[in-house]
Amino acid sequence: MRFLRRQGVFCRTCALASFRDMQADTMVMGWWGPLSVLITPFVLLANLSALSGIRRIPEPVTPGWRPPLNPGKPVFRRPAGILALVPLGLLGLVVLAVPLLLLVGMLVGPDGGDGPPTLTAGSCARNDAPWPEQSLRPVGCGSSDAQYRVVDPTDGPCASRDYLAYPEYSKDGVSLCLHPLKR
């Protein structure tokens, strides 16, 4: 990584030519280092302040002792400027994607919406894993898949043959009783 600066007494045309050459070089060669990827966008923006200073220089009135430099095409009409649109576009995507992903993460929540289903008292459930593991899911009480009726332990203690559901299956974080259904 290196920082270059051209100093001297320039007419407006020569200063614009130097600016365009150096800005085009920065757009192509400024990205090729680990820290340069982060620093180059700021350098390109800082160089725009130099461009505003160049535009304040008056046009040459009398010819100098040598002809002025040819400013050439504007930066984004040069091959270097067009090539620089690739990393600038990728940087723009990252700048837009990070806040968008944060927003989606806040809306969906920390568990991604894939947490265990919530059971309510009076409903029925099925365990798709062998006990003592629990993979509970709510099912209709009239369904042949129903294995347990969910009972709220605040209505009274769980019966001796009831199972306790993990607290994450209730909305209050309290273990619910699972009363086996006889079929």
Side-chain angles (χ1 to χ4, degrees):
M1 180 185 322
R2 61 186 181 152
F3 293 92
L4 300 176
R5 176 181 294 218
R6 285 195 187 150
Q7 293 182 348
V9 178
F10 294 100
C11 68
R12 181 177 185 175
T13 308
C14 293
L16 184 60
S18 295
F19 168 81
R20 287 180 176 175
D21 288 340
M22 292 185 76
Q23 188 79 335
D25 289 345
T26 302
M27 289 179 137
V28 172
M29 296 183 289
W31 307 96
W32 299 106
L35 289 176
S36 298
V37 171
L38 302 173
I39 294 173
T40 298
F42 295 107
V43 170
L44 292 171
L45 289 174
N47 288 348
L48 293 179
S49 68
L51 181 60
S52 69
I54 291 169
R55 291 191 175 151
R56 287 192 301 263
I57 298 173
E59 288 286 339
V61 181
T62 59
W65 54 275
R66 68 177 196 188
L69 297 173
N70 180 7
K73 295 179 182 178
V75 176
F76 283 110
R77 290 193 184 158
R78 297 175 183 214
I82 294 169
L83 183 65
L85 291 176
V86 173
L88 287 172
L90 291 174
L91 183 68
L93 282 175
V94 168
V95 167
L96 291 174
V98 168
L100 182 66
L101 290 174
L102 287 172
L103 180 66
V104 168
M106 287 189 299
L107 292 175
V108 171
D111 63 355
D114 295 333
T118 302
L119 301 176
T120 56
S123 66
C124 293
R126 174 175 182 78
N127 187 16
D128 292 328
W131 286 99
E133 298 297 321
Q134 293 184 15
S135 179
L136 300 173
R137 63 181 171 94
V139 294
C141 290
S143 168
S144 61
D145 288 342
Q147 294 176 320
Y148 308 99
R149 179 170 299 278
V150 180
V151 180
D152 190 355
T154 57
D155 295 341
C158 294
S160 62
R161 293 189 176 235
D162 286 357
Y163 295 96
L164 281 177
Y166 292 150
E168 57 260 22
Y169 287 104
S170 72
K171 67 177 181 177
D172 301 331
V174 177
S175 293
L176 298 170
C177 301
L178 298 174
H179 183 73
L181 296 174
K182 296 179 184 175
R183 301 221 174 220

